[in-house]
Amino acid sequence: VRRPAGGGERQQHVAALEAIRRQLADASIPFAANMAPVLEIQAIEVAAESGEAVNGRVIEVVKGGLILDLGVRGFLPASLVDIRRVQDLDEFMAKELRCKVIELNRSRNNVVLSRRAVLEDERKEMRQAILDRLNPGDVVDGQISNIVDFGAFVDLDGMDGLIHISELSWRHVNHPSEVLEIGQEVKVKVLDIDRDRQRISLGLKQTQSDPWQQVVEAYGEGDVVEGRVTKVVTFGAFVEIMDGVE
């Protein structure tokens, strides 16, 4: 029993299954049909057809993956254990895992599983829940998960949003690392949500007082103020009269 796939996805699916079959052969894993009652096999067949997940306990770590007890022995390839690469498979020993059946071949007595598929589905549901909850203009708490040249990513409790470098501060920022660090807790404003592409644009400076508004409130035309020369150019000089205002 195989889950349906079409076009290029079908070719990729077949190629992936062939690679898994080679892993099975290398691991010399005995999948004995008499290890499971007929009802267990039928339940696994139904799960494979419907895409529903099944539960199994890890009973062995083998070359290339894990063996799970589903009532029948199932093989979980190392590449499908998690969304990210797992360095030590031994940490899953004796644990109960929820997986999808991606191949069931009764003639070969092979059951191939994917935990990654379950985790990806859960992540999609979590992302959708966050998208449904948020609206432009909301101010939310998050944690800096990554810093790149063009901005910083914020973990919003299961989904990352991006603060573009231009939205970090009212003053000029050469690199996001000047004002943020990974793991830092921040309060950000939701600027835009692309629900189709599942992308959230965030602003950090919008949660801070606008220095230009402070200038308007603090100074009037004709006032004499002190400042610091920040840049000299051919046509004049820039003077910072307030933090973030030249």
Side-chain angles (χ1 to χ4, degrees), residues 102-119:
I102 60 174
E103 183 180 23
L104 171 60
N105 190 320
R106 294 194 68 170
S107 63
R108 296 186 182 184
N109 298 321
N110 288 349
V111 180
V112 182
L113 307 167
S114 173
R115 178 172 175 261
R116 186 174 70 187
V118 172
L119 297 177

Side-chain angles (χ1 to χ4, degrees), residues 138-140 167-168 170 186-191 203-210:
D138 290 349
V139 176
V140 295
E167 306 296 345
L168 286 174
W170 292 106
V186 292
K187 190 177 292 291
V188 292
K189 186 173 184 177
V190 179
L191 303 181
L204 180 63
K205 69 181 184 182
Q206 287 78 4
T207 63
Q208 305 162 354
S209 58
D210 184 347

Side-chain angles (χ1 to χ4, degrees), residues 49-149:
E49 287 282 8
S50 65
E52 291 296 318
V54 295
N55 294 318
R57 187 174 61 86
V58 178
I59 58 174
E60 191 176 351
V61 177
V62 296
K63 181 181 178 181
L66 304 170
I67 303 298
L68 276 68
D69 180 10
L70 309 170
V72 61
R73 288 164 67 93
F75 178 58
L76 175 56
S79 61
L80 301 180
V81 171
D82 207 329
I83 294 174
R84 294 183 175 86
R85 183 180 177 184
V86 176
Q87 298 294 335
D88 184 12
L89 291 175
D90 289 331
E91 66 183 69
F92 292 93
M93 189 64 191
K95 288 187 176 180
E96 190 86 9
L97 302 182
R98 189 164 178 80
C99 307
K100 285 193 175 184
V101 180
I102 60 174
E103 183 180 23
L104 171 60
N105 190 320
R106 294 194 68 170
S107 63
R108 296 186 182 184
N109 298 321
N110 288 349
V111 180
V112 182
L113 307 167
S114 173
R115 178 172 175 261
R116 186 174 70 187
V118 172
L119 297 177
E120 287 175 344
D121 285 348
E122 291 175 350
R123 173 178 284 188
K124 287 179 183 178
E125 292 176 2
M126 185 180 299
R127 288 169 67 94
Q128 191 58 52
I130 293 173
L131 288 169
D132 292 342
R133 185 179 75 241
L134 293 180
N135 291 291
D138 290 349
V139 176
V140 295
D141 295 319
Q143 184 180 72
I144 303 299
S145 59
N146 195 20
I147 293 176
V148 292
D149 291 341

Side-chain angles (χ1 to χ4, degrees), residues 215-233:
V215 169
V216 172
E217 295 171 354
Y219 303 124
E221 186 175 347
D223 288 353
V224 177
V225 299
E226 293 184 356
R228 181 175 61 89
V229 177
T230 58
K231 186 186 299 182
V232 177
V233 293

Side-chain angles (χ1 to χ4, degrees), residues 22-33:
R22 288 194 293 271
Q23 287 181 313
L24 289 170
D26 292 341
S28 300
I29 301 168
F31 286 81

